[in-house]
Amino acid sequence: MVGHKDGREIPAAISLSPEVVRGGMLVPGAIRDIAVRKRAEEALQASEIRYRRLFEAAQDGILILDFATGRVVDVNPFLTNLLGYSHAELVGKDLWEIGPVKDISASRLSFAVLQTKGIIRYDDLPLETRDGRRIAVEFVSNVYTAGGTRVIQCNIRDITRRKRAEEALHRSEEQLQQASKLEAVGRLAGGVAHDFNNLLGVILGSSELLLEDLRASDPRRRYVEAITVASKRAATLTRQLLTFSRKQVSSPLVFDLNSIVGETGRMLPRVIGEHIEIAIVLSVEQAPVLADPTQVQQVLMNLAANARDAMPEGGKLTIEVANYEMKQGGGEPSDVTPGHYVTLTVSDTGAGMPPEIQSRAFDPFFTTKDLGKGTGLGLSTVYGIVKESGGSILLNSEQGEGTTFRIYLPRAKEKIIERAAVSRVPDESLRGSETIFLVEDQSELRHLTHRFLRGLGYNVLAAGLPEEAIQIAQQFKGKIDLLLTDVVMPGMNGRALAQQLRPLYPSMRVLYVSGLADQNLEQDLLDRKGAFLAKPFLLRELATKIRELFPEPKSAWYTEKKKTRAS
């Protein structure tokens, strides 16, 4: 210790050399103050403590390797916990000898690259933990000198959660692309189906009138019947297209899904065959949904038929209804928001589907069946009905393990409505004497319908376009009992036309005809402000629908017929 002029003692280092020792005496200037060195040592010690604390507490894995040999010098607790190995099991081992690095040749090669370049990076390096789990890590290393020894520091970040999030995002993007693709095809299908429906209406109506004029013994009758049958099949395909594109008018009501599944389940053995075991599992509680019961039944029949084709040698079909709550971050399908749902699960033990088939399963006209044995519209129709009902559908399938379709429908809060019985009109009351205003922009269908209604005794006004219809209605001096109008027309739709004419004829009933859905129109139907008949329709169906709107017979023909039968 050396005394300072102010009385303090300070540590000092004394170095002796020929220049500082003269005649056995120390030269005062040879005493060097070592306070600076002491502070430097203390700072170094504090720095080492900070580094060790960071090393120990880091939330990323840190691996220290000897630059020359690749031997593990040190490893932090985060990495040992991540991999499931102890500190002693890793330190002192060569990099390619430790458990997580299975590929020895690749590890040696990577180490050689690291020695040459001084840095190496892996954005997605798969490692295996001691218990066999695969984890994805981000690996970054660099070289530096510590204590005169060159070492390699490897920073290892666990990116498993990020990878899962990226995969979930990728699946969501694929689902969005699929939905966009189906939406585009749906718009095209809807446009084509609208025009095709009008043509089918003319074919069906004309063949129907021809059949009435042909005797049962007439050899030409079977050709007209063939035209009628083919037209009806074409009409079914058109309805499937419109359902897929969500442009088919539906009649939604709140009903218990258990009832439809139970009712359909009793019919399924006759549809899919006795060689397939059917298990129906209903919800203990009511499962209320807002949808079209007929369309939901179509979903079940299509999925059951799909399962039947996947089990030609027999198997088991399970249909289950359950109430389900989707919580925040609940999982798939990604387009299902948190809330209460009713799930409809249809699973089979059939052959299953490979990934490339699953990705196209809901595409219209896509089928794996032989030519002439399938239209490729079954699952696309299911998709359209589910989406139209505000739901989502998830497909899971593995080859040899079967297929499961899970449908999520929003659980309805409203009271369940019992389905009403179908109204039937006696054959002899199809005639009438009311005034019907027919508005249809397709000329052939308009002329055919006009002739048919006049033949039943109705007084018929006809217009091709809404603007023309408004002019006729304003000039007409009599009473219009029924507006029979197409929904989709140039310039103005049928609903807007009805609103324009209502002030002129307050008691006028409205019958909409179309193959395309309109949400506002559906609201009118739900509020019982109008009636609807889907295109294409048989003329007899049209006559029946009209009489349903006029329950009291008014025609002189019907009154006379009734008197004759009474006598």
Side-chain angles (χ1 to χ4, degrees):
M1 303 295 288
V2 178
H4 195 271
K5 65 180 180 178
D6 61 3
R8 290 183 296 112
E9 290 186 346
I10 61 173
I14 301 176
S15 59
L16 302 180
S17 67
E19 290 79 11
V20 299
V21 181
R22 294 179 182 174
M25 299 293 294
L26 290 175
V27 179
I31 300 174
R32 181 163 52 88
D33 188 341
I34 65 168
V36 174
R37 182 191 298 178
K38 182 65 175 179
R39 286 194 294 269
E41 290 175 352
E42 291 174 348
L44 178 61
Q45 185 179 15
S47 176
E48 290 176 350
I49 292 174
R50 286 195 300 270
Y51 170 78
R52 175 53 60 177
R53 286 178 178 172
L54 288 172
F55 182 81
E56 299 288 344
Q59 294 304 298
D60 286 337
I62 302 176
L63 184 69
I64 308 297
L65 304 176
D66 181 85
F67 178 82
T69 64
R71 189 160 297 156
V72 178
V73 176
D74 203 355
V75 59
N76 74 335
F78 182 90
L79 189 57
T80 58
N81 292 334
L82 178 67
L83 299 177
Y85 290 87
S86 68
H87 186 272
E89 288 176 310
L90 297 178
V91 174
K93 303 285 177 55
D94 291 337
L95 174 65
W96 39 85
E97 290 179 347
I98 62 177
V101 185
K102 297 295 186 182
D103 192 338
I104 296 178
S105 60
S107 301
R108 290 178 183 272
L109 180 61
S110 298
F111 184 72
V113 173
L114 176 60
Q115 287 177 310
T116 303
K117 295 185 176 181
I119 186 170
I120 193 168
R121 179 186 183 95
Y122 295 101
D123 292 324
D124 184 5
L125 179 68
L127 292 183
E128 187 174 298
T129 65
R130 183 168 192 162
D131 59 7
R133 289 184 300 108
R134 300 285 288 180
I135 57 173
V137 300
E138 188 179 77
F139 184 96
V140 181
S141 61
N142 56 78
V143 179
Y144 61 89
T145 301
T149 303
R150 298 188 76 189
V151 296
I152 302 168
Q153 178 171 317
C154 306
N155 291 80
I156 301 172
R157 173 167 294 177
D158 183 7
I159 59 170
T160 304
R161 289 185 178 180
R162 191 179 79 191
K163 287 284 294 180
R164 289 174 182 168
E166 289 174 352
E167 289 171 358
L169 178 61
H170 179 65
R171 287 195 298 270
S172 298
E173 290 174 346
E174 286 185 337
Q175 289 176 354
L176 179 60
Q177 290 175 357
Q178 178 76 355
S180 299
K181 178 177 66 175
L182 294 178
E183 189 70 30
V185 175
R187 286 195 297 269
L188 174 62
V192 172
H194 172 255
D195 293 337
F196 192 51
N197 269 336
N198 286 332
L199 298 177
L200 284 175
V202 176
I203 297 171
L204 279 170
S206 299
S207 60
E208 188 179 0
L209 294 177
L210 275 173
L211 284 173
E212 290 183 1
D213 293 337
L214 294 175
R215 295 179 180 178
S217 59
D218 195 315
R220 295 170 298 176
R221 187 179 177 87
R222 61 190 181 95
Y223 297 113
V224 181
E225 289 174 341
I227 294 173
T228 303
V229 171
S231 299
K232 288 180 178 179
R233 291 177 63 184
T236 300
L237 292 178
T238 307
R239 278 193 292 271
Q240 288 180 322
L241 274 175
L242 290 170
T243 301
F244 159 72
S245 62
R246 285 176 274 168
K247 295 182 181 296
Q248 178 75 34
V249 175
S250 61
S251 300
L253 56 85
V254 179
F255 65 93
D256 186 357
L257 187 58
N258 285 318
S259 63
I260 290 294
V261 172
E263 180 182 317
T264 307
R266 288 189 289 271
M267 299 187 297
L268 284 179
R270 297 192 297 272
V271 176
I272 65 176
E274 300 290 342
H275 64 298
I276 295 177
E277 179 186 354
I278 301 174
I280 306 293
V281 183
L282 302 179
S283 170
V284 176
E285 300 176 341
Q286 285 189 328
V289 295
L290 174 61
D292 186 326
T294 303
Q295 289 187 346
V296 172
Q297 192 170 55
Q298 185 180 1
V299 165
L300 280 168
M301 299 297 282
N302 285 0
L303 292 179
N306 197 71
R308 175 201 60 201
D309 295 339
M311 299 183 289
E313 304 300 324
K316 184 175 182 179
L317 172 67
T318 304
I319 303 175
E320 182 177 0
V321 178
N323 289 297
Y324 177 77
E325 181 181 1
M326 175 69 78
K327 297 183 179 179
Q328 191 70 39
E332 296 185 271
S334 59
D335 58 343
V336 175
T337 57
H340 293 274
Y341 294 86
V342 174
T343 59
L344 173 61
T345 306
V346 180
S347 57
D348 64 62
T349 58
M353 306 181 199
E356 61 273 15
I357 299 298
Q358 293 184 52
S359 65
R360 301 190 60 191
F362 298 114
D363 287 4
F365 304 114
F366 175 75
T367 179
T368 57
K369 300 175 184 177
D370 294 337
L371 185 64
K373 294 187 177 181
T375 62
L377 286 173
L379 290 181
S380 64
T381 300
V382 169
Y383 178 89
I385 291 173
V386 171
K387 289 299 181 181
E388 184 180 357
S389 303
S392 297
I393 184 168
L394 179 66
L395 164 62
N396 282 319
S397 183
E398 291 186 21
Q399 287 186 278
E401 300 294 330
T403 299
T404 297
F405 291 91
R406 180 168 287 107
I407 296 169
Y408 296 78
L409 295 174
R411 181 179 170 90
K413 298 179 181 179
E414 298 83 2
K415 184 179 179 181
I416 290 176
I417 302 172
E418 296 297 331
R419 289 184 291 164
V422 177
S423 172
R424 297 190 178 276
V425 177
D427 292 348
E428 64 268 21
S429 65
L430 294 182
R431 299 175 64 87
S433 59
E434 292 85 0
T435 298
I436 297 177
F437 193 1
L438 169 64
V439 184
E440 168 62 62
D441 62 305
Q442 215 284 338
S443 59
E444 291 88 352
L445 184 59
R446 182 175 68 252
H447 295 322
L448 179 67
T449 307
H450 189 184
R451 291 197 303 271
F452 173 72
L453 293 177
R454 285 180 62 86
L456 290 178
Y458 292 105
N459 178 33
V460 182
L461 304 175
L465 295 173
E467 292 80 2
E468 179 188 359
I470 293 173
Q471 292 178 1
I472 293 174
Q474 290 173 341
Q475 297 170 6
F476 185 63
K477 301 302 181 182
K479 176 188 177 185
I480 295 178
D481 299 294
L482 172 69
L483 172 64
L484 172 59
T485 178
D486 192 5
V487 175
V488 180
M489 295 181 291
M492 181 185 299
N493 63 40
R495 183 171 180 270
L497 174 63
Q499 291 174 341
Q500 291 255 7
L501 300 185
R502 182 72 69 188
L504 298 175
Y505 304 96
S507 61
M508 177 184 70
R509 293 172 170 82
V510 181
L511 175 56
Y512 299 103
V513 291
S514 180
L516 300 183
D518 179 273
Q519 291 182 349
N520 294 323
L521 174 60
E522 288 186 1
Q523 189 59 48
D524 270 7
L525 301 181
L526 286 172
D527 294 341
R528 306 193 184 281
K529 295 178 181 177
F532 176 79
L533 181 62
K535 285 184 175 182
F537 50 79
L538 293 171
L539 293 176
R540 184 179 184 79
E541 293 174 341
L542 173 62
T544 301
K545 197 71 175 181
I546 292 173
R547 290 319 318 159
E548 288 177 0
L549 293 171
F550 299 103
E552 293 298 327
K554 296 182 180 180
S555 69
W557 178 89
Y558 178 80
T559 303
E560 185 63 30
K561 184 78 172 179
K562 189 174 182 181
K563 288 180 180 178
T564 303
R565 292 186 64 181
S567 61

